[in-house]
Every structure is written in structure tokens, then in C-alpha cells.
Amino acid sequence: MKNFNIKAVLFLNYFVFAILLNSVGTVILQMQQNFGISKSSASVLEGFKDLPIAICSFILASFLPKIGIKRSMLIALLLVSCMCFVMPFANAFWFFKLLFTIVGVSFALIKISVFTSIGLVTDSDKEHSSFMGYLEGFFMIGVLMGNVLFSLFIDDHNPRSTHWLNVYWVLGGISTLSFLFLFFTKLDEHEARSEKTDLLGDLKNSVSLFSYKKVLFFLLCAFLFVLVEQSFQTWTPTFYKEILKVPTSMSIQAGAVLAGAFALGRFLSGFFSKKFSWIYVVSFCVVGFAISILLVLPLTHNISINAGTTWLNAPLVVYLFPLMGGLLAPIYPSINSVILASIPKYLHSAMSGLIVVFSAIGGTIGSIITGFVFQEFSGQQAFYLSLIPLSLLIISVVIMNKLKINPKK
């Protein structure tokens, strides 16, 4: 397979950060149990993760290719490896703020580098879209494995136990292996650079993207989608623990089931993107997810689950809720691929930076709003609220589909 080694590296890097980034839902739940942190206070961890992603992406996006795509990924993996080996000794909330800050900065480097690299290792728009779908699907496999991994270290009989922090020894080891694998892999980066411009020219290229209406509507789509996605991913463990009343380890495993549904949906998007226009796939998924919310959430009211409940004897709704993620999953890789395939490769780094910035802002706002509504009203109302951004999303993707980009040389 052409470019097999570097493609494998991209998958592995995404896998590592999938676990670290999406552990925030598990950590929020554990902060409430270990340190007595309130939901609204714990929700700021999303900000400590997403705001560094947004800030660093904005600063680095336009000239990251000049720093070096491979070098940027190596720096990111080194930073998170070191931090993971510190976390087993964490004994206060600020450790986790620092952890997610470093994870955020590192992910900014990784995601821009990965998105920029896709254009270097694919040869057509359809291949680009398909690889993006598979890559995002593998990201969700990482989320699934991360939830399972964390659940194995949870002590259901002692909610205040910090034994679960030992999971970071494992994550530090995985990050280190990923660093070594990348270090010995070659990547031809010359197409990602604009040889005709200096740093000021690169910044002008980045700013020029805002002159295209299609880019503006895409950024709105990315913001709205991640606002909804992150709300569900971050608060599903807490929803299962406090609303459905299942054991803590099972609550975290529910996040793994949600991630599995996302992974399946994104792998299928890699297949369907070769068969159907992206607008049909995205529209079907947005409308289908909205309908599933209206059908599934009412089933979570007034259900009785005893302490001995497991996945073998749980009520139907326990399975249905995370499976909704399969409908939400194909949207993000589809819209990302469309916009990246619409612009020259030397602008992919700048565009990737904007994707990360607006996604991070959407994730932070979504998580904080959901946490507030969850605390003040109910978990069901917090998730019903996602129908508003979903309505705006379907309008935005329809408009985006009608717009064209003709980049100035």
C-alpha cells in the first residue's frame, strides 16, 4: 500500500490522543467522587483542554509546515509522555488542569499536522474523504479503548479510591511507543510548504481564507457539530451514573459503547463517501440523530436500576442511548474533507488550524452549557438542548453545499 508507514503513524498518533482527550468525561466523574468537585466546577476541565487547542492552533497553523510536520508531532508526543508519567502522583484538582492544558497544546500540534499530512498521502478527493473517514473512525476506536482501559482501574466499592490514576503509566508507555515509531518514519513535507512566501505571507494566506463564504459556513458547521458531540461524549458517564443509576465502572463503559458507535459510524462514512454525495450523508445523519433524541430520551425517565445491574441484564435504554452516536459520527469527517479538498495543499495547514480552533471553542461551550443545565435542571433537559444547534447545523450545511471556492493563485 502506498505511503503505508506514514499512514500507520497517523492512525497511531490519533489513537493516543483520542484516549487522552476523551478521558475528560471520566476524569470529571472521578473529580466529583475523589475531591468533591461540583459539576459546574469540574466542567472547566473541558476549557483547560479546548482553549489551549484553540489558541495554539491559531498561532501555529499558518507556519507549522515551516517548523516541520514530523517535528511538531514528535514534540507533542514527548510532552504528553512526560505528563502521563507524572499523573500517578496527582493529589489535587490542579494536576488535572495542567494535564489537559498540555494535552490541548499537544493535540493542536498533532491535529494540524495530521490533517495537513492527509493531503500529502492521498491522490484524489474521494481518497482524501475516505481516508479522513477511516482516520476519524480509528480516533473513536481510541476513545472506546480509553474508556474500557479507565474502567478497568475503577474501584466501584470505594468511590474515593485514586487507584485509577495508575492508568497513566499505561498511557505514558503508549505515548512513548508512538514517539519512537514516528521518529523512525519518513515523511515528505515539501508539498505542504508555500515556497513563494515568508512568515508574513503565510499569515496573509491564513487570513485570506475568511474571504470565502464557504469557509465561513464550514467553520460554523464545525463549531455547531463539536458543540453537540462534545456535550454527549463528556457528560455520558455522569448521565449514566446519576440519571440511570448504574455502577461507576459501567458508566464509564457506556462512554466506550458511545465511542464504538462513533467508530462504526465513521468507518461507514469512509465507505459511503465513495458512493454518495457528502450532503446526503450529512443531512441524513443530522436529521436521524435529532429524531433519535426525541425517541430515546423519554425512555430515561423513571427507570429503576438496582446495584447489581450489568450489561447482561440492563434495560433497553441503557444500550440505545450510546448507540445514537453512530448517526452523529459521519458528519465531522465529511465536512472536514469537503473543505480541505476545496483548497490548495499549501493552505491545508492554515485551514486545519481554523478547524481545530472552532472545534475547540464549540467543545468548550457545549460542555460548560451542558454541565450547567445538568446541574440546575436535569440530564435529559441538557441533552434536549442539543436540538437547537442541530437545527442550525442542517441549515448551515445546506448553504455550505451551494457555495464554491475559487482560490486566488
Side-chain angles (χ1 to χ4, degrees):
M1 182 189 295
K2 185 179 179 182
N3 297 312
F4 175 80
N5 286 348
I6 188 59
K7 286 181 179 180
V9 168
L10 298 182
F11 277 111
L12 182 57
N13 288 350
Y14 236 37
F15 179 83
V16 169
F17 279 88
I19 297 176
L20 291 167
L21 281 168
N22 289 277
S23 66
V24 67
T26 298
V27 173
I28 283 176
L29 177 58
Q30 291 302 103
M31 289 302 95
Q32 295 172 64
Q33 298 190 136
N34 286 170
F35 301 112
I37 305 296
S38 69
K39 292 182 183 65
S40 56
S41 297
S43 70
V44 302
L45 286 179
E46 195 78 57
F48 276 90
K49 169 174 69 75
D50 287 338
L51 292 180
I53 293 175
I55 294 168
C56 290
S57 297
F58 183 78
I59 294 172
L60 295 172
S62 60
F63 56 91
L64 183 140
K66 284 186 169 58
I67 298 174
I69 295 172
K70 179 178 174 179
R71 186 180 296 117
S72 298
M73 289 191 283
L74 288 171
I75 292 171
L77 290 166
L78 179 62
L79 287 173
V80 296
S81 296
C82 293
M83 192 62 205
C84 281
F85 290 129
V86 170
M87 289 310 295
F89 307 102
N91 57 8
F93 190 37
W94 69 265
F95 273 96
F96 298 90
K97 294 178 181 179
L98 179 60
L99 169 68
F100 284 111
T101 299
I102 290 176
V103 169
V105 171
S106 301
F107 184 64
L109 292 169
I110 286 287
K111 190 164 186 176
I112 297 173
S113 299
V114 169
F115 274 26
T116 304
S117 300
I118 295 174
L120 303 178
V121 299
T122 56
D123 298 320
S124 67
D125 290 354
K126 284 192 173 182
E127 186 184 355
H128 190 290
S129 179
S130 179
F131 185 75
M132 178 75 79
Y134 290 132
L135 185 66
E136 292 287 352
F138 199 73
F139 183 88
M140 299 314 301
I141 293 293
V143 177
L144 185 159
M145 296 301 295
N147 278 283
V148 172
L149 182 62
F150 270 86
S151 73
L152 296 176
F153 287 80
I154 295 295
D155 185 351
D156 286 326
H157 303 293
N158 180 13
R160 297 188 67 84
S161 171
T162 58
H163 173 74
W164 66 279
L165 292 174
N166 289 314
V167 73
Y168 287 102
W169 291 116
V170 179
L171 296 179
I174 296 173
S175 301
T176 302
L177 286 175
S178 185
F179 175 92
L180 294 173
F181 191 13
L182 175 60
F183 186 81
F184 292 105
T185 302
K186 294 182 179 180
L187 173 63
D188 183 359
E189 305 179 19
H190 78 275
E191 283 190 275
R193 301 187 181 97
S194 176
E195 305 295 346
K196 299 177 181 179
T197 61
D198 53 13
L199 176 56
L200 181 60
D202 288 336
L203 291 172
K204 288 180 178 178
N205 283 335
S206 298
V207 173
S208 71
L209 289 169
F210 288 102
S211 66
Y212 301 109
K213 291 183 179 179
K214 184 165 187 170
V215 170
L216 296 177
F217 274 96
F218 160 75
L219 294 175
L220 177 60
C221 289
F223 170 84
L224 292 169
F225 170 79
V226 179
L227 187 149
V228 174
E229 178 196 45
Q230 210 58 45
S231 298
F232 274 82
Q233 287 189 346
T234 299
W235 289 99
T236 287
T238 300
F239 185 87
Y240 268 68
K241 177 65 177 177
E242 298 196 2
I243 304 300
L244 301 183
K245 308 295 184 183
V246 302
T248 300
S249 60
M250 191 172 168
S251 300
I252 295 170
Q253 289 162 5
V257 178
L258 177 65
F262 263 90
L264 178 60
R266 286 184 173 169
F267 282 129
L268 289 175
S269 77
F271 172 76
F272 285 117
S273 63
K274 294 182 177 180
K275 306 291 183 181
F276 304 99
S277 172
W278 73 274
I279 187 63
Y280 296 125
V281 174
V282 170
S283 298
F284 174 83
C285 291
V286 174
V287 174
F289 186 74
I291 293 173
S292 68
I293 289 175
L294 295 173
L295 294 177
V296 174
L297 281 181
L299 301 178
T300 65
H301 290 277
N302 302 318
I303 64 171
S304 178
I305 296 180
N306 59 52
T309 298
T310 68
W311 288 105
L312 297 177
N313 58 10
L316 181 62
V317 68
V318 173
Y319 304 96
L320 290 179
F321 185 80
L323 292 179
M324 295 191 302
L327 286 169
L328 199 60
I331 300 171
Y332 195 60
S334 297
I335 60 175
N336 284 344
S337 180
V338 166
I339 201 67
L340 287 171
S342 301
I343 61 177
K345 291 180 180 180
Y346 71 85
L347 287 174
H348 281 199
S349 176
M351 189 69 247
S352 298
L354 292 179
I355 291 173
V356 178
V357 168
F358 281 80
S359 297
I361 295 172
T364 298
I365 293 176
S367 181
I368 291 174
I369 291 175
T370 302
F372 174 79
V373 176
F374 200 132
Q375 178 173 293
E376 300 298 324
F377 300 96
S378 72
Q380 288 92 344
Q381 286 180 296
F383 288 136
Y384 275 128
L385 200 63
S386 64
L387 292 171
I388 296 174
L390 285 171
S391 300
L392 296 174
L393 178 58
I394 190 66
I395 295 171
S396 300
V397 295
V398 170
I399 296 174
M400 176 184 161
N401 183 53
K402 294 180 178 179
L403 298 172
K404 305 293 181 184
I405 290 182
N406 296 303
K408 299 178 180 66
K409 299 295 183 183

